[in-house]
């Protein structure tokens, strides 16, 4: 089978990204195997005793990740899972058994609905309902007045596919209270919970305390290799461990993922507030740059960003924007838009922007200058 046009475009984008001297973010997943293994071997000894025996079915360093995460979230216990998809399916299955209801209320843009091929229904026999279809978090009124019964409310923080949007702390408290009024339990999809604390103005433990269970990921924001944790009460986590085994998640050894998780907690977690703060600077400069350009319409969403990630929308076809982004990186050594451009409608496309440590070097003037250069390339590509 030959390489598809989509694969060629991705390879070109990644090559341009790797060669660029100036980017807004670099993620470990886009490094070579050798680079990643070398970095892990060099750094892991700073967070864990490498003289220990390797983990076997979840002890040792894996258990240390569980303890560390439970402490951060203020929960009684936590269980390490190879994937967040499995962790969440197990959590929601456990709650369905405990509440007697297979119905899970969640947003239609939530991860299980968009990115898991209907697994909640086909694998776990659950049924999903949607208190709202608006591209935002469901309100307390929508949850309280929803006409169908449900046993679990799942809240994704932030709601990635709506633009990494978050409610206010007061709105989140009210939504949880509305679910409690209906005798429903609350589960937090906290894959990116780590960066929610600046916007919500609360600690991780205070946020987690609102819910009956919470899942967090180690690779999305903390730059780990893989892995997730499901946290909650002792009894829930004990049950979740049994289902983890049944789902095939009782992995023999997971020390590379566990060590990278500890590195993420040690290094990236403390930096996230600075990324969130600078995302507001970058987003504001992007909006100003496009506003001063010949582009007929643009949108940075949300503005200001709620986390260190946000969307940019422009009125061009995705292939035009992808070509302009690659050309800018190849010819200037600066890559403003490193993620793929997706179609959001006829003649309308969007991309996701992430700020990591590399992005802290960009000033507002740098961003505005890069926007002007990018727009010139867009016009050139579109006019061909």
């Amino acid at each position: 089978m030959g390489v598809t046009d989509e694969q060629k475009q991705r390879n070109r984008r990644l090559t341009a990204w790797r060669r660029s001297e100036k980017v807004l973010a670099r993620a470990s997943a886009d490094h070579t195997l050798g680079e990643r293994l070398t970095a892990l071997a060099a750094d892991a000894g700073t967070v864990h005793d490498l003289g220990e025996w390797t983990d076997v079915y979840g002890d040792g360093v894996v258990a240390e990740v569980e303890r560390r995460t439970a402490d951060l979230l203020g929960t009684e216990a936590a269980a390490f899972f190879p994937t967040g998809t499995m962790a969440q399916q197990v959590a929601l299955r456990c709650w369905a058994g405990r509440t007697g209801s297979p119905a899970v209320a969640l947003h239609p843009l939530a991860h299980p609905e968009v990115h898991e091929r209907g697994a909640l229904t086909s694998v776990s026999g659950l049924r999903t309902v949607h208190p709202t279809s608006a591209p935002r978090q469901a309100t307390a009124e929508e949850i309280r007045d929803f006409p169908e019964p449900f046993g679990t409310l799942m809240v994704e923080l932030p709601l990635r596919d709506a633009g990494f949007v978050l409610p206010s702390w007061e709105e989140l408290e009210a939504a949880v209270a509305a679910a409690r009024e209906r005798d429903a339990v609350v589960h937090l999809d906290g894959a990116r919970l780590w960066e929610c604390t600046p916007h919500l103005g609360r600690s991780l433990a205070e946020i987690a305390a609102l819910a009956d269970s919470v899942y967090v990921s180690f690779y999305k924001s903390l730059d780990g290799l893989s892995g997730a944790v499901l946290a909650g009460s002792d009894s829930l986590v004990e049950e979740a461990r049994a289902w983890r085994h049944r789902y095939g998640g009782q992995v023999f050894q997971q020390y590379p993922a566990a060590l990278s998780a500890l590195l993420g907690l040690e290094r990236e977690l403390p930096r996230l507030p600075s990324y969130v703060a600078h995302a507001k600077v970058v987003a504001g400069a992007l909006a100003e740059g496009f506003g001063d350009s010949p582009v007929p319409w643009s949108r940075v969403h949300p503005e200001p960003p709620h986390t260190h990630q946000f969307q940019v929308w422009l009125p061009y076809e995705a292939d035009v924007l992808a070509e302009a982004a690659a050309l800018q990186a190849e010819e200037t050594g600066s890559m403003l838009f490193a993620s793929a451009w997706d179609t959001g409608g006829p003649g309308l496309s969007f991309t996701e922007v992430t700020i990591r440590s590399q992005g802290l070097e960009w000033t507002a003037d740098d961003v505005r200058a890069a926007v002007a250069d990018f727009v010139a390339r867009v016009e050139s590509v579109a006019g061909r």
Side-chain angles (χ1 to χ4, degrees), residues 13-27:
R13 173 169 53 84
L14 287 177
T15 299
W17 170 84
R18 283 177 58 84
R19 293 177 177 173
S20 293
E21 297 177 358
K22 196 168 185 178
V23 296
L24 292 172
R26 292 198 188 278

Side-chain angles (χ1 to χ4, degrees), residues 217-269:
S217 172
F218 294 111
Y219 79 87
K220 290 182 172 68
S221 305
L222 300 186
D223 211 24
L225 289 175
S226 61
V229 150
L230 175 63
S233 67
D234 285 327
S235 64
L236 175 73
V237 171
E238 183 178 1
E239 182 183 359
R241 291 180 188 277
W243 280 108
R244 180 184 64 186
H245 200 167
R246 294 172 182 135
Y247 273 63
Q250 189 76 353
V251 180
F252 179 49
Q253 292 186 334
Q254 300 181 87
Y255 61 90
L259 288 169
S260 69
L262 289 176
L263 281 167
L265 292 172
E266 184 72 22
R267 297 185 176 186
E268 283 299 295
L269 182 57

